[in-house]
Amino acid sequence: CNLTGLWENELGSTMQVYKVDNDGTFSGVYQTAVSSAKNPIQPSPLIGSQHLDEDGQCTFGFTVNWKTFSDSTAVFVGQCFNGDDGKEVLHTSWLLREKVDSQPDDWKATR
């Protein structure tokens, strides 16, 4: 699949991918629906890369910098699947790194 377009997850978060270049790189905006930040949620920039496989079930990864409302960064990795109904579906896993005040607190910084 080509990731260009608007994607929405089951929680209501959206990812808008503007364009996937010939080498698989892309950029866009992620609007999360959930956050533990104290500031109001804002759209956040993302940048990533995907394999452009012939079978359309590509793997991909992207980074979201929540700099507009938080001191954290998230990375997502996933794969696109062609569902039984013919729709493309993304399955992802993520890691979120929050800023902590000291090295001893490092253990609690990644979810």
Side-chain angles (χ1 to χ4, degrees):
C1 73
N2 186 314
L3 295 176
T4 300
L6 182 66
W7 298 87
E8 184 174 355
N9 72 13
E10 65 279 1
L11 298 175
S13 298
T14 60
M15 174 177 74
Q16 176 73 49
V17 176
Y18 298 133
K19 177 187 173 194
V20 177
D21 293 335
N22 291 337
D23 64 356
T25 60
F26 61 90
S27 64
V29 173
Y30 197 96
Q31 175 74 44
T32 187
V34 295
S35 172
S36 62
K38 293 179 177 116
N39 296 327
I41 295 172
Q42 299 290 319
S44 300
L46 69 84
I47 189 161
S49 182
Q50 80 170 93
H51 283 276
L52 301 173
D53 297 339
E54 300 270 334
D55 68 1
Q57 301 197 129
C58 64
T59 60
F60 59 89
F62 60 93
T63 301
V64 179
N65 184 336
W66 308 110
K67 66 183 176 182
T68 57
F69 68 97
S70 174
D71 288 335
S72 62
T73 302
V75 293
F76 294 76
V77 293
Q79 184 172 349
C80 181
F81 294 96
N82 296 313
D84 294 336
D85 59 359
K87 288 185 176 181
E88 294 174 329
V89 177
L90 306 181
H91 285 258
T92 61
S93 296
W94 56 268
L95 288 172
L96 176 81
R97 176 64 186 219
E98 294 180 302
K99 181 180 175 182
V100 292
D101 294 327
S102 66
Q103 188 174 351
D105 288 335
D106 184 63
W107 66 272
K108 65 181 180 180
T110 301
R111 290 192 236 168

